[in-house]
């Protein structure tokens, strides 16, 4: 924002301090008009940025129109979605104020419609880019609540022509089921009768048309100035052009999938409605008003990102005459849980919800409570990634309100099986709360629901195997651990300790015992705090690296970390993450450890293994992302360095070229001192250029290595998912029917059972006992049928989550993965989970 623009805003604010509040719109407009009229000559360029219209200055209004046209043209070619959408709405405002003619709006609409139709044309287009076409049509429909009434009054035939064009487009576009990106994993997402976002919006606009284009939620401030505006001059809005389709047609399914993914990245669906509240609880408003308020809320979240208090202020001050707290909660939660990623960091929505609770203490907190209860009731059907986000949000939210919650209403979950989704949810929330506070505080917060104390994690603390205790017999491990502690306190060098380990421990007890003693002891030395742990790893990491050179020993090391911090999920994750950061453990070893039998058994009852796996994959690709940014910066620096070097060399050559005749011989006329300085500058500039080039080469080598590591990580990750799921999923029936794990179908059969296992009972999704037998059947790993169903659902959910989260990377290695995941021999449930996360448009 320019200094002149800030000054202008301050002057407006001085005259109208309540601007943006609830004062009369007409008064605001008159004050702004007077200020802008006086400031026009001094702040012409800055005023153009905001698009306010001076009705008595035709040049000013024409400048606004031309600037808007240029901005819209630029936004179309740079694919700036938010700017395109807002500028179309702004054009409707200009039309309502008689600054541009209605035909200009119609012409712009038809340009966008033509582009959308071209994209879907079988000969000239490419249906992979339907998201762009949908976006253009969405922008048209989304602007109609602001301009539809005036268009209907002034150019009804032209408006009808646009609506017919939209109807034609809707009839030929492909319907999106979007089930892979739904918050709740239910079968209703596959129903062909369910409308997708575009079909729903079109239906709302048709209803608006039948109601005479009357919208309660859109202010009409121009009506207060209708007598003045009617004599104003309408300016020509020059036509805009849409970017040409640069995409290529291909018969390759892989290339089509990559194009679909790219299109979805550039033109994602802005909102996936999350209907949390029953109809009788939510506000009763017209469908179009609901859409407009959603647009208001999303725009406020967009433009005030980073300004949480201002965001909350404007969210509670929307220009509507009816209440909308429930809709506001649904919209914010829909963004927080949006798949594959929320538009902004989850912490932003957390802070906004907190500030809304403080801004509307009598209304919004009760709405949030009702929303949490409604989501909790459906937690068993919630996408696993959304479930994790909800846990993180809820625990953080409670930490800002003294951890007060009616826990007694959820006390019954303690009686559910340990794998029941509602029980796991409560358990994980309590664990996260302890991270944000301390054990005794959280225990006190649930004193009204004493049953839930059994869901609290063990009181955090180390589990040191060689702790000195008079009641325990001292072993060889105790003696060696004590000696190692003495060496560390005596500040022995890393080399000395390595020699001691190699001479005193390994020969007599073996390498595995050495890993046991050294890792347990060093972890104990660093157990006081996170800083202590970092210090120990920095100083003595070479010892661990020497003892754990391969994956087998690294797996053993992680077992030791998990055993030492068995009472602290957080410290286990932190220790393994830091060890990976110092390259003491490879990312491949971590994946193998997470998919080891002991951890696989925890997949459906704890977030512990998943947190470690998420951190590992995220860290791997964050490294790659950071390297790419550094390489981009270095390339720019090289260009600057080359220019500086060339300039210095040129100055040196020019100085040397100036000659004079001395005693009949040509010699340089420059002083020797200046020539030496110029030579020094040239040498230094060249050295800087070479240094940057060497840095670039090093970073490029690291990037190549990182990409290869990422490729191998994805291969191992998906192979591990396929292996563990193939062992446990029920087979496809003889008729080819895919088993439905959520339906409680008694015909679903799991892999061969252990005949000696105890007969167990079927449990439903929430873990409630149905009191029915499984005809003596039990699973190979000793799970009940209900538990195994939940294990499969949870593991499939995380497979889908990883494929969504890292879809770009997966598509770049799709040829590598098609042998692991995308072949027909793979169980269809595995293939569906992996593939549906990659591209929502592609057929399974």
């Amino acid at each position: 924002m320019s200094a002149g623009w800030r000054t202008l805003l301050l002057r407006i604010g001085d005259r109208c301090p309540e601007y943006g509040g609830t004062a009369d719109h007409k008064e605001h407009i008159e004050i702004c008009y007077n200020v802008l009229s006086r400031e026009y000559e001094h702040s012409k360029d800055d005023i153009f940025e905001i698009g306010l219209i001076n009705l008595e200055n035709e040049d000013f209004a024409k400048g606004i129109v031309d600037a808007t046209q240029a901005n819209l043209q630029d936004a179309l070619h740079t694919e700036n979605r938010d700017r395109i959408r807002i500028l179309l709405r702004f054009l409707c405002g200009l039309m309502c104020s008689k600054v541009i003619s209605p035909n200009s709006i119609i012409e712009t609409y038809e340009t966008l419609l033509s582009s959308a139709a071209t994209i879907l044309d079988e000969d000239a287009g490419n249906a992979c880019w339907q998201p762009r076409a949908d976006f253009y049509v969405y922008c048209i429909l989304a602007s109609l609540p602001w301009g539809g009434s005036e268009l209907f009054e002034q150019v009804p035939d032209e408006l009808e022509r646009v609506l017919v064009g939209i109807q034609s487009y809707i009839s030929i576009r492909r319907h999106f089921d979007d089930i892979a990106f739904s918050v709740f994993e239910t079968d209703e997402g596959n129903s062909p009768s369910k409308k997708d976002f575009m079909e729903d919006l079109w239906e709302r606009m048709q209803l608006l048309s039948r109601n005479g284009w009357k919208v309660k939620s859109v202010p009409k401030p121009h009506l207060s100035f209708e007598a003045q505006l009617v004599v104003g001059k309408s300016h020509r809005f020059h036509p805009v052009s849409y970017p040409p389709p640069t995409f290529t047609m291909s018969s390759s399914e892989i290339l089509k999938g990559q194009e679909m993914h790219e299109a979805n990245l550039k033109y994602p669906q802005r909102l996936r409605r999350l209907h949390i509240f029953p109809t009788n609880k939510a506000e009763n408003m017209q469908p179009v008003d609901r859409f407009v308020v959603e647009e208001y809320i999303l725009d406020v979240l967009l433009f005030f990102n980073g300004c949480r208090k201002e965001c909350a202020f404007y969210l509670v001050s929307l220009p509507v005459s009816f209440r909308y707290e429930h809709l506001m909660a649904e919209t914010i939660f829909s963004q927080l849980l949006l798949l594959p990623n929320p538009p902004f960091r989850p912490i932003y929505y957390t802070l906004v919800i907190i500030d809304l609770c403080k801004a509307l203490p009598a209304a919004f907190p009760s709405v949030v409570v009702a929303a949490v209860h409604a989501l909790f009731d459906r937690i068993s059907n919630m996408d696993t990634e959304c479930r994790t986000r909800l846990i993180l949000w809820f625990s953080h939210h409670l930490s800002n309100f003294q951890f007060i919650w009616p826990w007694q209403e959820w006390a019954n979950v303690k009686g559910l099986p340990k794998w029941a989704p509602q029980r796991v949810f409560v358990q994980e929330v309590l664990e996260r709360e302890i991270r944000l506070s301390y054990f005794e505080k959280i225990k006190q917060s649930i004193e009204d629901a004493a049953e839930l104390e059994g869901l609290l994690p063990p009181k955090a603390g180390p589990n040191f195997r060689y702790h000195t205790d008079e009641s325990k017999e001292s072993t060889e491990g105790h003696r060696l651990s004590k000696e190692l502690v003495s060496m560390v306190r005596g500040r022995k060098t890393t080399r000395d300790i390595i020699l001691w380990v190699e001479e005193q421990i390994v020969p007599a007890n073996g390498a595995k015992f050495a890993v046991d003693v050294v890792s347990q002891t060093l972890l104990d030395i660093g157990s006081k705090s996170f800083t202590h742990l970092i210090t120990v790893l920095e100083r003595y990491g070479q010892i661990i690296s020497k003892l754990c050179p391969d994956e087998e020993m690294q797996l053993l090391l992680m077992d030791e970390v998990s055993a030492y911090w068995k009472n602290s999920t957080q410290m286990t994750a932190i220790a393994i993450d830091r060890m990976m950061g110092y390259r003491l453990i490879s990312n491949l070893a971590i994946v193998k450890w997470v998919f080891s039998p002991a951890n696989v058994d925890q997949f459906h009852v704890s977030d512990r293994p998943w947190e470690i796996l998420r951190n590992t994959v995220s860290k791997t690709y964050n490294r790659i992302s950071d390297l790419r940014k550094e390489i981009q910066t270095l390339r720019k620096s090289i260009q600057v360095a080359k220019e500086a070097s060339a300039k210095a060399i040129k100055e040196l050559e020019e100085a040397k070229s100036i000659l004079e005749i001395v005693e009949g011989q040509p010699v340089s006329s420059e002083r020797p001192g200046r020539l030496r300085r110029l030579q020094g500058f040239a040498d230094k500039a060249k050295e800087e250029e070479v240094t940057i080039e060497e840095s670039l080469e090093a970073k490029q080598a690291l990037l190549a290595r990182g990409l290869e590591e990422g490729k191998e990580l994805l291969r191992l990750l998906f192979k591990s998912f396929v292996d563990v799921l193939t062992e446990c999923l029920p087979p496809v029936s003889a008729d080819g029917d895919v088993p439905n794990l959520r339906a409680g179908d008694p015909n679903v059969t799991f892999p061969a059972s252990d005949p000696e296992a105890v007969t167990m009972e079927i449990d439903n999704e929430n873990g409630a006992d149905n009191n029915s037998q499984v005809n003596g059947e039990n699973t190979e790993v000793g799970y009940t049928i209900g538990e195994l169903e939940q294990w499969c659902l949870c593991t499939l959910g995380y497979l889908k989550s990883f494929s969504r989260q890292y879809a770009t990377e997966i598509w770049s290695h799709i040829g590598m993965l098609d042998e692991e995941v995308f072949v027909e021999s793979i169980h269809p449930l595995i293939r569906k989970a992996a593939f549906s996360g990659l591209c929502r448009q592609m057929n399974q």
Side-chain angles (χ1 to χ4, degrees):
M1 184 183 293
S2 66
W5 173 225
R6 286 195 189 93
T7 303
L8 184 62
L9 282 181
L10 289 173
R11 289 172 181 167
I12 295 175
D14 290 341
R15 294 298 307 275
C16 192
E18 75 281 3
Y19 192 79
T22 57
D24 181 58
H25 287 111
K26 183 176 181 180
E27 181 183 354
H28 283 158
I29 292 173
E30 288 175 342
I31 291 175
C32 291
Y33 163 75
N34 292 329
V35 174
L36 290 171
S37 297
R38 291 193 301 272
E39 295 296 326
Y40 170 68
E41 291 300 328
H42 304 291
S43 308
K44 187 181 302 184
D45 293 337
D46 297 315
I47 291 174
F48 281 169
E49 292 179 19
I50 63 171
L52 292 174
I53 300 174
N54 188 334
L55 295 176
E56 296 184 3
N57 190 324
E58 292 183 0
D59 290 337
F60 175 68
K62 184 177 183 303
I64 291 293
V65 173
D66 292 342
T68 303
Q69 192 275 344
N71 287 335
L72 179 57
Q73 186 65 74
D74 178 71
L76 285 168
H77 283 271
T78 59
E79 300 179 299
N80 189 327
R81 302 184 311 277
D82 291 315
R83 206 169 191 187
I84 295 170
R85 178 178 52 80
I86 292 296
L87 285 173
L88 275 182
R89 188 189 302 173
F90 179 56
L91 286 178
C92 290
L94 293 179
M95 178 199 62
C96 292
S97 299
K98 306 296 188 294
V99 178
I100 62 174
S101 67
N103 285 320
S104 296
I105 298 284
I106 296 296
E107 187 175 7
T108 303
Y109 284 169
E110 291 181 333
T111 297
L112 295 178
L113 267 176
S114 174
S115 174
T118 300
I119 290 172
L120 297 190
D121 185 84
E122 292 183 359
D123 298 324
N126 185 347
C128 293
W129 282 82
Q130 181 177 312
R132 177 195 278 182
D134 277 356
F135 172 74
Y136 285 168
V137 177
Y138 156 76
C139 287
I140 297 172
L141 293 173
S143 67
L144 287 177
W146 280 266
S149 177
E150 283 71 15
L151 289 172
F152 179 69
E153 290 178 2
Q154 300 179 48
V155 286
D157 294 338
E158 289 81 355
L159 176 61
E160 181 63 24
R161 188 172 68 232
V162 170
L163 296 179
V164 169
I166 295 175
Q167 176 68 71
S168 176
Y169 172 80
I170 295 293
S171 67
I172 63 173
R173 66 181 288 275
R174 179 166 42 191
H175 171 85
F176 283 167
D177 284 333
D178 230 13
I179 187 63
F181 293 79
S182 298
V183 173
F184 295 106
E185 299 175 336
T186 57
D187 291 334
E188 64 182 31
N190 289 322
S191 172
S193 62
K194 183 182 178 182
K195 298 179 179 63
D196 66 17
F197 184 76
M198 283 298 300
E199 293 162 351
D200 177 79
L201 180 57
W202 170 235
E203 185 178 84
R204 290 169 191 252
M205 293 306 135
Q206 287 179 304
L207 180 61
L208 178 62
S209 174
R210 291 194 292 270
N211 291 339
W213 300 98
K214 297 176 182 178
V215 188
K216 292 172 56 178
S217 52
V218 176
K220 301 285 185 181
H222 59 278
L223 295 179
S224 301
F225 301 89
E226 196 166 19
Q228 298 101 301
L229 293 174
V230 73
V231 298
K233 178 181 178 180
S234 294
H235 298 273
R236 173 170 171 72
F237 185 83
H238 296 285
V240 294
S241 61
Y242 52 84
T246 56
F247 33 82
T248 58
M249 289 295 294
S250 172
S251 59
S252 167
E253 288 298 317
I254 291 178
L255 292 179
K256 283 184 179 180
Q258 289 173 326
E259 278 196 293
M260 289 179 185
H261 174 64
E262 183 182 354
N264 281 316
L265 283 181
K266 289 188 175 182
Y267 296 94
Q269 186 172 309
R270 193 179 189 214
L271 174 69
R272 292 187 181 91
R273 289 188 179 89
L274 184 60
H275 297 287
I276 299 176
F277 305 104
T279 306
N280 61 337
K281 295 289 184 182
E283 295 86 7
N284 183 19
M285 61 182 76
Q286 292 296 317
V288 171
D289 288 317
R290 180 183 176 94
F291 168 76
V292 170
V293 175
E294 288 171 343
E295 287 286 288
Y296 286 152
I297 294 169
L298 295 177
D299 284 342
V300 171
L301 289 170
L302 169 67
F303 291 113
F304 290 95
N305 173 36
C307 306
R308 47 179 282 198
K309 293 190 179 298
E310 290 81 358
C311 178
F313 171 77
Y314 284 101
L315 283 176
V316 302
S317 309
L318 298 183
V320 295
S321 58
F322 45 81
R323 299 187 63 170
Y324 53 89
E325 291 89 356
H326 288 81
L327 177 55
M328 183 161 61
E330 285 186 338
T331 305
I332 294 174
F333 276 109
S334 73
Q335 296 300 95
L336 173 65
L337 302 178
L338 188 65
L339 295 170
N341 294 297
F344 307 107
R345 292 185 177 183
I347 185 64
Y348 174 49
Y349 303 102
T350 303
L351 297 175
V352 168
I353 291 173
I354 291 170
D355 287 334
L356 286 173
C357 288
K358 295 176 179 178
L360 298 172
F364 202 68
S366 61
V367 173
V368 173
V369 170
V372 173
H373 279 291
L375 293 172
F376 179 74
D377 289 341
R378 302 175 64 187
I379 203 72
S380 63
N381 286 327
M382 185 177 286
D383 179 90
T384 51
E385 186 176 336
C386 294
R387 198 181 303 177
T388 300
R389 284 192 214 164
L390 187 64
I391 289 168
L392 296 177
W393 164 79
F394 188 47
S395 56
H396 190 176
H397 180 80
L398 292 181
S399 72
N400 284 271
F401 295 95
Q402 301 179 353
F403 299 100
I404 296 174
W405 184 256
W407 291 108
Q408 63 274 13
E409 297 179 13
W410 291 351
N412 65 299
V413 303
K414 179 60 174 65
L416 299 178
K418 65 178 182 178
W419 49 266
Q422 289 186 338
R423 173 175 169 144
V424 173
F425 177 84
V426 174
Q427 168 189 300
E428 293 298 322
V429 168
L430 293 174
E431 194 274 332
R432 291 284 176 171
E433 284 187 337
I434 291 174
R435 297 191 193 189
L436 298 170
S437 183
Y438 55 95
F439 184 87
E440 288 76 12
K441 173 69 175 177
I442 305 307
K443 183 177 180 181
Q444 181 183 5
S445 71
I446 60 172
E447 59 185 6
D448 291 339
E451 302 92 330
L452 296 181
E453 290 185 13
L455 299 186
L456 289 172
K459 193 170 183 179
N463 180 41
F464 186 32
R465 186 172 297 139
Y466 301 110
H467 176 67
T468 303
D469 190 342
E470 295 181 357
S471 63
K472 292 184 178 179
E473 181 180 354
S474 181
T475 64
E476 178 71 1
H478 285 82
R479 182 186 68 79
L480 292 170
S481 175
K482 187 175 181 180
E483 189 173 346
L484 178 55
V485 170
S486 298
M487 295 179 73
V488 170
R489 290 176 178 172
R491 299 200 177 269
K492 293 289 185 180
T493 65
T494 300
R495 179 176 176 78
D496 290 339
I497 296 176
I498 290 175
L499 288 174
W500 173 77
V501 171
E502 291 177 341
E503 294 173 359
Q504 300 295 323
I505 304 181
V506 176
N509 303 283
K512 292 184 178 180
F513 183 75
V515 171
D516 180 351
V517 172
V518 171
S519 61
Q520 285 271 326
T521 305
L522 291 180
L523 286 170
D524 195 59
I525 294 172
S527 64
K528 290 184 179 179
S529 69
F530 176 71
T531 306
H532 281 75
L533 173 64
I534 297 300
T535 302
V536 167
L537 293 178
E538 286 179 348
R539 290 181 181 175
Y540 304 108
Q542 291 180 24
I543 304 172
I544 297 175
S545 181
K546 187 75 174 178
L547 286 170
C548 304
D550 53 37
E551 287 184 356
E552 180 184 358
M553 300 306 291
Q554 290 172 13
L555 292 172
L556 180 61
L557 174 60
M558 284 182 279
D559 284 338
E560 295 299 334
V561 172
S562 181
Y564 182 85
W565 286 114
K566 72 174 186 178
N567 295 331
S568 176
T569 298
Q570 181 181 23
M571 286 306 300
T572 302
I574 288 174
I576 292 177
D577 180 74
R578 289 294 85 203
M579 287 180 175
M580 177 184 166
Y582 289 115
R583 294 195 173 273
L584 305 178
I585 301 174
S586 72
N587 51 13
L588 300 180
I590 296 176
V591 172
K592 289 182 179 179
W593 182 77
V594 168
F595 282 91
S596 63
N599 286 316
V600 167
D601 285 346
Q602 298 294 310
F603 278 5
H604 59 315
V605 296
S606 173
D607 191 52
R608 187 184 184 109
W610 297 119
E611 180 181 3
I612 294 170
L613 188 60
R614 287 194 301 268
N615 291 345
T616 300
V617 182
S618 174
K619 199 177 194 73
T620 298
Y621 282 100
N622 284 343
R623 281 178 182 169
I624 294 174
S625 178
D626 291 343
L627 284 169
R628 282 175 171 153
K629 291 177 183 177
E630 291 172 11
I631 288 173
Q632 187 177 6
T633 302
L634 285 172
R635 283 175 176 160
K636 293 179 181 178
S637 299
I638 282 180
Q639 187 62 33
V640 174
K642 284 182 176 180
E643 292 174 358
S645 178
K647 181 180 179 182
I649 292 173
K650 181 181 179 181
E651 290 180 355
L652 177 61
E653 295 298 329
E654 288 176 351
K656 287 181 177 179
S657 66
I658 302 175
L659 302 176
E660 63 181 6
I661 304 299
V662 178
E663 297 180 356
Q665 297 295 326
V667 296
S668 175
S669 64
E670 282 290 351
R671 296 187 303 275
R674 184 170 187 271
L675 287 175
R676 285 194 299 271
R677 286 196 302 274
L678 291 174
Q679 184 67 55
F681 291 153
D683 292 343
K684 186 177 180 180
K686 189 63 178 178
E687 182 182 347
E688 180 71 17
E689 179 185 346
V690 171
T691 300
I692 296 175
E693 286 179 341
E694 290 175 350
S695 297
L696 177 60
E697 290 176 2
K699 295 294 183 183
Q700 287 174 330
L702 288 174
L703 177 60
R705 175 183 169 185
L707 290 172
E708 190 61 30
E709 286 183 356
K711 178 179 177 181
E712 292 304 314
L713 177 68
L714 285 178
R715 183 200 299 272
L716 178 61
L717 179 64
F718 277 84
K719 185 178 186 306
S720 300
F721 270 113
V722 170
D723 289 346
V724 297
L725 283 165
T726 301
E727 291 180 4
C728 297
L729 282 172
V732 178
S733 70
D735 298 330
D737 295 332
V738 178
N740 185 350
L741 298 176
R742 292 189 179 276
D745 187 353
N747 295 320
V748 172
T749 58
F750 283 87
S753 61
D754 180 0
E756 297 182 359
V758 178
T759 301
M760 300 187 182
E761 297 174 337
I762 295 178
D763 300 311
N764 66 24
E765 288 183 42
N766 276 335
D769 182 7
N770 283 341
N771 295 320
S772 58
Q773 300 296 319
V774 194
N775 300 321
E777 291 183 346
N778 192 13
T779 68
E780 191 172 4
V781 291
Y783 293 154
T784 64
I785 296 299
E787 182 173 5
L788 186 53
E789 287 179 348
Q790 188 59 40
W791 183 93
C792 291
L793 288 168
C794 186
T795 308
L796 286 168
Y798 275 105
L799 171 58
K800 181 164 65 174
S801 173
F802 278 105
S803 80
R804 277 191 309 243
Q805 195 70 28
Y806 299 98
T808 300
E809 291 78 13
I810 294 171
W811 278 119
S812 65
H813 304 306
I814 198 70
M816 171 198 71
L817 290 174
D818 57 8
E819 295 182 0
E820 301 291 351
V821 180
F822 308 115
V823 294
E824 294 300 327
S825 59
I826 295 295
H827 194 292
L829 288 178
I830 300 176
R831 194 172 187 274
K832 180 179 180 181
F835 208 81
S836 63
L838 294 182
C839 183
R840 66 191 176 102
Q841 295 170 279
M842 211 147 196
N843 295 328
Q844 301 304 314

